[in-house]
């Protein structure tokens, strides 16, 4: 058994290692977490029911361990969100840095172009200056008529005209170049201003991104620390629980002993029920032989009541509807010991202080008090006598207080006490048992529980 517990603890530890399950941070995943929390609450309720019979500190230790384990998915999701936020911030910072680098490079290229263009413009201005000075001195190029009149031969005229055309083109090109350089300079200055503004904006964004990255990094580290703390807590709680293993076995043994004592007590009362039933039948047979009217009278005896009542069913639930079954009737695996254990009744979850009713008419023949150390806490036992050819009893456990006494004749629906969590119970509920001929049967199989 100890090896089994160690294996369980080892499995818990292994489940906390490895790669985290990636959960995209979208609305559907938020709903998934809400659904998971609801499922966790249901699981805790089931565990609470399955831990009945153990010492309360052992139940608390195991529930603490389970609650801590259930925090792991949320912590992993928070860590993943923080890491995704950090990665997104880092990607944005990298993109911003690339844009800033490109803008700065473009600014450098514009500055280099400006320097080159300023040199070319200076040369053009010098050329135009020479032309202006030549014009001022009267050294202008001759007109075509002057060339024709001054030439001694056609060849001289042709050569002179070509030279004159070249000089004119030079003057025109210089003027055009100067105009183009001026336009280019204005364009470069506009580009330079725009890029300088872009660089300033990118630098400001880069400073903000540094702050965001640091915040995201700190958040991711905090979530990582939180997850590490949860894992360390689980390891410590598992060790603490392992130290309680022997006491858990003793607690369960006591619970089983209490159940055996109840079974023995019910067997004795069943025997008495059948003895009284035999006496009733014998008296009925004797009476019927002398008078048919007395036979009709004895057939209405309370010890052999009919299968119906004012409610329509002779057996009804001990609490008001709706019936919230937190732990059904039948076999289940003990979460700590790993052993199979039979749950002899049905647990109905109700808030503390909720009235509990007699499921059928009968006689209260025993009250167990929580102060006695009984695992069921405050418990009421009702003998319903012979019903439909069987001897029936109902048992109500974990009451906060009683509203009945031993020997009281109760009717179906009478308040016999109030819901609580006495005994080895971790939550407000009623543990309800039905015994038929000395054997527990599933209460949910009776029509009144459908």
């Amino acid at each position: 058994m100890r090896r089994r517990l160690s294996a369980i603890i080892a499995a818990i530890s292994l489940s906390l290692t490895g790669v985290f399950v990636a959960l995209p941070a979208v609305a559907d995943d938020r709903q998934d977490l809400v659904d998971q929390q609801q499922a966790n609450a249901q699981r805790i309720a089931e565990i609470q029911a399955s831990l009945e019979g153990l010492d309360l500190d052992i139940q608390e230790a195991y529930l603490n361990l389970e609650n801590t384990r259930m925090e792991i998915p949320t912590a992993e999701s928070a860590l993943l969100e923080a890491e995704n936020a950090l990665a997104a911030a880092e990607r944005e910072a990298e993109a911003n840095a690339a844009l800033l680098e490109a803008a700065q490079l473009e600014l450098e290229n514009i500055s280099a172009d400006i320097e080159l263009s300023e040199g070319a413009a200076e040369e053009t201005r010098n050329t135009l200056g020479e032309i202006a000075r030549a014009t001022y001195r009267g050294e202008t190029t001759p007109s075509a008529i002057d060339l024709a009149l001054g030439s001694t031969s056609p060849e001289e005229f042709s050569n002179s005209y070509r030279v004159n055309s070249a000089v004119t083109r030079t003057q025109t090109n210089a003027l055009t170049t100067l105009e183009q350089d001026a336009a280019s300079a204005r364009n470069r200055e506009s580009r330079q201003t725009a890029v300088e503004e872009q660089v300033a904006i990118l630098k400001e964004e880069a400073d903000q991104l540094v702050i965001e990255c640091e915040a995201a990094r700190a958040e991711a580290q905090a979530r990582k620390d939180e997850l590490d703390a949860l894992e360390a807590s689980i390891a410590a709680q598992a060790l603490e629980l392992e130290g309680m293993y022997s006491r858990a076995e003793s607690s369960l043994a006591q619970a089983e002993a209490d159940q055996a004592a109840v079974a023995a007590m019910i067997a004795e009362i069943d025997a008495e029920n059948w003895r009284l039933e035999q006496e009733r039948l014998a008296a009925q047979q004797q009476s019927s032989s002398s008078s048919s009217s007395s036979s009709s009278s004895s057939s209405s005896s309370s010890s052999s009541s009919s299968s119906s009542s004012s409610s329509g069913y002779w057996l009804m639930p001990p609490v008001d509807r709706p019936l919230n079954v937190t732990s059904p009737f039948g076999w289940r695996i003990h979460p700590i010991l790993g052993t199979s254990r039979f749950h002899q009744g049905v647990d109905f979850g109700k808030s503390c202080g909720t009235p509990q009713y007699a499921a059928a008419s009968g006689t209260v023949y025993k009250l167990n008090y929580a102060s006695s150390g009984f695992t069921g806490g405050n418990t009421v036992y009702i003998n319903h006598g012979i019903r439909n050819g069987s001897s029936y009893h109902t048992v109500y456990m974990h009451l906060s207080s009683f509203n009945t006494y031993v020997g009281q004749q109760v009717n179906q629906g009478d308040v016999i006490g109030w819901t609580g969590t006495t005994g080895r119970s971790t939550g407000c509920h009623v543990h309800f048992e039905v015994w038929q001929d000395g054997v527990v049967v599933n209460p949910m199989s009776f029509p009144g529980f459908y």
Side-chain angles (χ1 to χ4, degrees):
M1 301 300 292
R2 183 174 296 277
R3 285 195 297 273
R4 250 197 306 270
L5 181 62
S6 299
I8 293 171
I9 294 172
I12 293 172
S13 301
L14 286 174
S15 69
L16 300 175
T17 60
V19 180
F20 298 142
V21 177
L23 297 174
V26 295
D28 288 344
D29 296 315
R30 298 285 187 185
Q31 185 59 45
D32 288 344
L33 287 177
V34 172
D35 294 342
Q36 183 62 49
Q37 289 173 348
Q38 294 175 346
N40 288 348
Q42 178 62 30
R43 171 160 170 72
I44 286 296
E46 293 172 356
I47 291 173
Q48 286 178 324
S50 66
L51 289 172
E52 286 183 2
L54 296 180
D55 291 343
L56 293 182
D57 61 335
I58 301 176
Q59 295 186 39
E60 183 180 3
Y62 189 81
L63 286 171
N64 288 340
L65 174 60
E66 284 298 303
N67 278 316
T68 304
R69 287 181 59 197
M70 290 176 183
E71 291 179 27
I72 290 293
T74 301
E76 288 179 341
S77 178
L79 173 59
L80 185 60
E81 282 190 21
E83 289 178 337
N84 287 341
L86 174 59
E90 289 177 340
R91 286 194 300 270
E92 188 174 357
E94 290 173 359
N96 180 272
L99 289 174
L100 180 58
E101 182 180 0
Q104 289 174 329
L105 180 60
E106 184 178 3
L107 192 59
E108 292 175 2
N109 291 336
I110 292 173
S111 298
D113 288 346
I114 289 175
E115 291 181 3
L116 291 174
S117 63
E118 285 180 351
E122 182 63 26
E123 291 180 2
T124 303
R125 284 192 292 271
N126 290 337
T127 300
L128 290 174
E130 288 295 332
I131 294 172
R133 285 190 292 273
T135 302
Y136 178 76
R137 292 193 299 268
E139 298 172 354
T140 57
T141 57
S143 65
I145 295 174
D146 292 336
L147 289 175
L149 294 176
S151 298
T152 59
S153 65
E155 290 81 4
E156 183 179 355
F157 172 78
S158 178
N159 291 333
S160 298
Y161 185 81
R162 283 196 298 270
V163 171
N164 186 60
S165 297
V167 172
T168 300
R169 283 196 303 273
T170 299
Q171 293 175 356
T172 302
N173 289 340
L175 286 171
T176 302
T177 300
L178 184 60
E179 290 175 356
Q180 291 175 345
D181 288 346
S184 297
R186 288 192 298 271
N187 182 51
R188 291 189 187 94
E189 288 173 357
S190 297
R191 285 175 55 208
Q192 185 180 37
T193 300
V195 173
E196 285 174 346
E197 291 176 354
Q198 184 183 15
V199 167
I201 293 172
L202 289 172
K203 284 183 177 179
E204 184 178 348
E205 290 178 354
D207 292 340
Q208 181 60 34
L209 285 170
V210 168
I211 296 173
E212 292 178 4
C213 282
E214 290 301 323
R217 190 172 290 107
E219 177 69 13
Q221 186 60 50
R223 300 288 76 80
K224 178 66 166 60
D225 293 343
E226 177 183 338
L227 186 59
D228 290 343
L230 285 173
E231 293 177 355
S233 177
I234 285 176
Q237 291 174 31
L239 287 175
E240 178 186 5
L241 190 62
E242 186 175 11
M244 298 178 175
Y245 181 82
S246 59
R247 282 205 299 119
E249 286 186 315
S250 299
S251 294
L252 198 57
Q254 181 185 347
E256 291 172 350
D258 287 345
Q259 290 174 354
V262 169
M265 175 182 63
I266 288 175
E268 291 179 1
I269 297 175
D270 280 344
E272 180 65 11
N273 284 344
W274 282 114
R275 186 186 67 79
L276 293 174
E277 178 69 1
Q278 292 300 322
E279 290 180 356
R280 186 191 69 80
L281 291 174
Q284 180 181 0
Q285 184 177 9
Q286 182 179 2
S287 177
S288 63
S289 64
S290 60
S291 173
S292 60
S293 60
S294 63
S295 174
S296 174
S297 173
S298 65
S299 66
S300 60
S301 171
S302 60
S303 64
S304 182
S305 61
S306 65
S307 60
S308 63
S309 68
S310 60
S311 66
Y313 301 103
W314 81 264
L315 190 69
M316 294 294 291
V319 290
D320 289 326
R321 299 181 186 276
L323 300 180
N324 176 26
V325 177
T326 57
S327 184
F329 177 88
W331 288 99
R332 62 192 182 192
I333 302 298
H334 198 280
I336 296 179
L337 303 178
T339 56
S340 296
R341 185 186 177 202
F342 194 81
H343 188 227
Q344 296 191 149
V346 173
D347 290 348
F348 298 113
K350 287 292 179 181
S351 59
C352 283
T354 301
Q356 289 192 29
Y357 311 103
S361 299
T363 304
V364 177
Y365 63 91
K366 184 175 178 60
L367 300 179
N368 269 333
Y369 289 85
S371 58
S372 67
F374 181 66
T375 56
N378 292 329
T379 304
V380 175
Y381 301 83
I382 300 179
N383 175 21
H384 302 290
I386 305 301
R387 297 267 184 167
N388 304 320
S390 293
S391 178
Y392 282 96
H393 303 253
T394 53
V395 182
Y396 315 72
M397 296 185 181
H398 307 303
L399 279 74
S400 61
S401 58
F402 300 117
N403 189 47
T404 189
Y405 55 87
V406 173
Q408 181 182 5
Q409 298 292 317
V410 294
N411 295 317
Q412 184 183 63
D414 286 350
V415 176
I416 59 173
W418 292 272
T419 303
T421 182
T422 55
R424 293 176 183 172
S425 166
T426 56
C428 297
H429 72 285
V430 55
H431 173 92
F432 178 69
E433 296 178 0
V434 177
W435 291 72
Q436 179 182 4
D437 294 329
V439 178
V440 286
V441 294
N442 187 359
M444 305 305 291
S445 65
F446 288 82
F449 287 74
Y450 291 170

